[in-house]
Amino acid sequence: MRNDEMILLDHGGGGRASRRLIEEMLLPRLRNSALARLDDAAELSVNGYRLSFSTDSYVVDPLFFPGGDIGKLAVHGTLNDVAMGGGNPIALSVGLIMEEGLPTDVLVRVIDSMAEASRQAGVPIVTGDTKVVPRGKADKLFINTAGIGIIAPDVHVSGSFARPGDVVLLSGPIGSHGVAVMAERSGLEVACRSDTAALHGLVQDMLQAFAGVHCLRDPTRGGLAAVLDEIAKQSSVCVHLQETSVPLGPGVQAACEILGLEPMHLANEGVLVGVVPEQGATPVLQAMQAHPLGRNACAIGTVQEGEAHVILHTAIGGQRILSVPSGDLLPRIC
Amino acid sequence: MRNDEMILLDHGGGGRASRRLIEEMLLPRLRNSALARLDDAAELSVNGYRLSFSTDSYVVDPLFFPGGDIGKLAVHGTLNDVAMGGGNPIALSVGLIMEEGLPTDVLVRVIDSMAEASRQAGVPIVTGDTKVVPRGKADKLFINTAGIGIIAPDVHVSGSFARPGDVVLLSGPIGSHGVAVMAERSGLEVACRSDTAALHGLVQDMLQAFAGVHCLRDPTRGGLAAVLDEIAKQSSVCVHLQETSVPLGPGVQAACEILGLEPMHLANEGVLVGVVPEQGATPVLQAMQAHPLGRNACAIGTVQEGEAHVILHTAIGGQRILSVPSGDLLPRIC
């Protein structure tokens, strides 16, 4: 990226432009080993223990959508990032940026939703901050959350730990969040609700079944395509993905056909990908299927030696490199 | 607060309206013991160790001002909040919300400034997130940071720990940040630079000299008046403040006279208040004065039994209750 450019919506999309922004502009300046790993969460050593630490800002539009709202998303999203670092979350922070004129009842609904999500997840919001900016200087409400989790001694996960021979597991059908938000925004009638959910319980069950899981990622912005491509690049391996093995959420197929979307690019907020050594694949898959959020878990591919990208084995028997969304498919999806 | 109201700029000012928003709307919904303490940072127990965890969002306008910028502020501000919880900071997260069209060179200057502040403080930015919203949906750049610190076993600080007989110490002259930002925004010619600085080194020296410090607070939004009033209310004590003992930053007196401002209400970003038992006051004050950021440290008052507010002993020998700013003196000061 050149310094005479400007920030575009594409830089927030979780695809190629986002990656360029982060890798070319931010990482070289803020360089340190934890950040350079480019995982969903950083790993910190504290007195011999390891913590998983992560943050996300939420700017979703609209604030309320079928199956969720910005508050629920802000709790779930960061809990999930902490969990994808192998950590069992213990606390969240929240920072609210409010636009002057935000109706108090809207704020109350969002805070009630955050409180409910935090209680259900068993992880308290322990510290926070509020800012108000003049009307027109923000859009209603933005929320940042950060989270801390404890990583068990035998757990070592990273996007860079995928190895040839590993099996790629998916916890459930994809695309529901992306389609639900898009439908709400466009007025499209689709029977689709966001899958937003806190995945740390599922992760703990997976790690209990087999602590040697190599990678954990939740395919949010940029979808399944972006996270598998990132794992391929971080680990210098080739991910082979079976298109027919990837389940789609209810209404997702129809919406993709109407709107010409690639389901693999759609955002998810309650689905995870696990990359697991072959000997662990069966116990981990069984643990996933025994959990309410992993009932439809399945193996969707394998890790092999080769070029660092994703090869999609299509329904009709072909093969192609799975593209990463280049720009922002859908601004403000989370 | 009633549900049919709306959020006003005053709710972000750090004064009475902010406190009502937090105490009447947010706390009852997110209730838990850590949050209810209303300190700058939450205290977490992890495997027998204690962590200090804090977050702040930064929406300062303009992004660059004499003595600092939003990036420096975002690093210093959260390091300071972690330090005010008694923690020695070990890591920061950063969340960027960018407006489409933000010139890349502006982003680069801010990130370079964050990187420099993080390096100087010796605390890495280990995890982050970027979001972009369409033009007009945010104002250039908002930054959230969260921070984690380790609290030494013998350190126990909280705004609720002030006791009659304690001495109130101030690390340096007040008002510089508020006046610097206001002057930059209004075009007023004042020789005043923001005092933005990372205070955790100063705090460690204070705690080394005397671990039994009762309260630590940095008077940001709402100024010295708001933090002393909060300490009085959290601890149910009366704070007696000697007006003539409170040093003002260069140019602050003049700006306050021109603009009719109360220096005690002005925001600071590199100053702290310590409330210390009498037997610790001298060693802590000496430790402060030996540190570059506490050269002008001084005792400014005492804690006594009585009504939970601040009594200002004025320069002309009078006494009055020190008011807390009711609304937002200066929106987007940090």
Side-chain angles (χ1 to χ4, degrees), chain A residues 5 7 32 101 104 112 125, chain B residues 5 7 29 32 101 104 112 125:
Chain A
E5 293 177 352
I7 297 297
N32 64 70
T104 311
D112 280 341
I125 294 168
Chain B
E5 293 179 350
I7 297 296
R29 296 185 156 78
N32 63 71
T104 311
D112 280 341
I125 295 168

Side-chain angles (χ1 to χ4, degrees), chain B residues 84-244:
Chain B
M84 298 310 132
N88 200 13
I90 57 167
L92 290 172
S93 68
V94 58
L96 304 173
I97 299 177
M98 296 174 277
E99 182 188 12
E100 179 189 20
L102 177 74
T104 311
D105 68 333
V106 170
L107 179 63
V108 164
R109 280 176 66 196
V110 171
I111 298 297
D112 280 341
S113 177
M114 294 192 84
E116 174 67 15
S118 147
R119 263 192 296 275
Q120 283 192 354
V123 183
I125 295 168
V126 296
T127 189
D129 172 58
T130 57
K131 291 287 187 313
V132 183
V133 296
R135 208 182 280 260
K137 298 299 183 185
D139 188 15
K140 298 184 283 293
L141 176 64
F142 301 146
I143 302 181
N144 176 286
T145 47
I148 302 176
I150 302 176
I151 307 174
D154 53 354
V155 170
H156 299 274
V157 293
S158 167
S160 58
F161 290 171
R163 292 291 171 268
D166 287 355
V167 177
V168 181
L169 304 175
L170 178 70
S171 68
I174 64 167
S176 301
H177 180 72
V179 168
V181 173
M182 193 176 318
E184 181 70 15
R185 215 184 284 172
S186 63
L188 189 73
E189 297 265 344
V190 183
C192 186
R193 294 167 63 79
S194 170
D195 59 350
T196 183
L199 296 167
H200 59 296
L202 174 61
V203 167
Q204 290 303 307
D205 285 1
M206 292 167 67
L207 295 172
Q208 199 83 44
F210 181 76
V213 170
H214 281 163
C215 321
L216 291 167
R217 288 294 303 272
D218 60 334
T220 54
R221 278 182 296 178
L224 189 60
V227 303
L228 291 180
D229 187 73
E230 278 170 35
I231 289 172
K233 293 199 163 39
Q234 283 179 262
S235 297
S236 302
V237 294
C238 184
V239 174
H240 287 257
L241 180 63
Q242 302 298 327
E243 188 172 33
T244 53

Side-chain angles (χ1 to χ4, degrees), chain B residues 269-288:
Chain B
E269 294 289 341
V271 170
L272 67 79
V273 167
V275 178
V276 186
E278 204 182 353
Q279 75 271 25
T282 302
V284 171
L285 186 58
Q286 286 171 347
M288 291 167 85

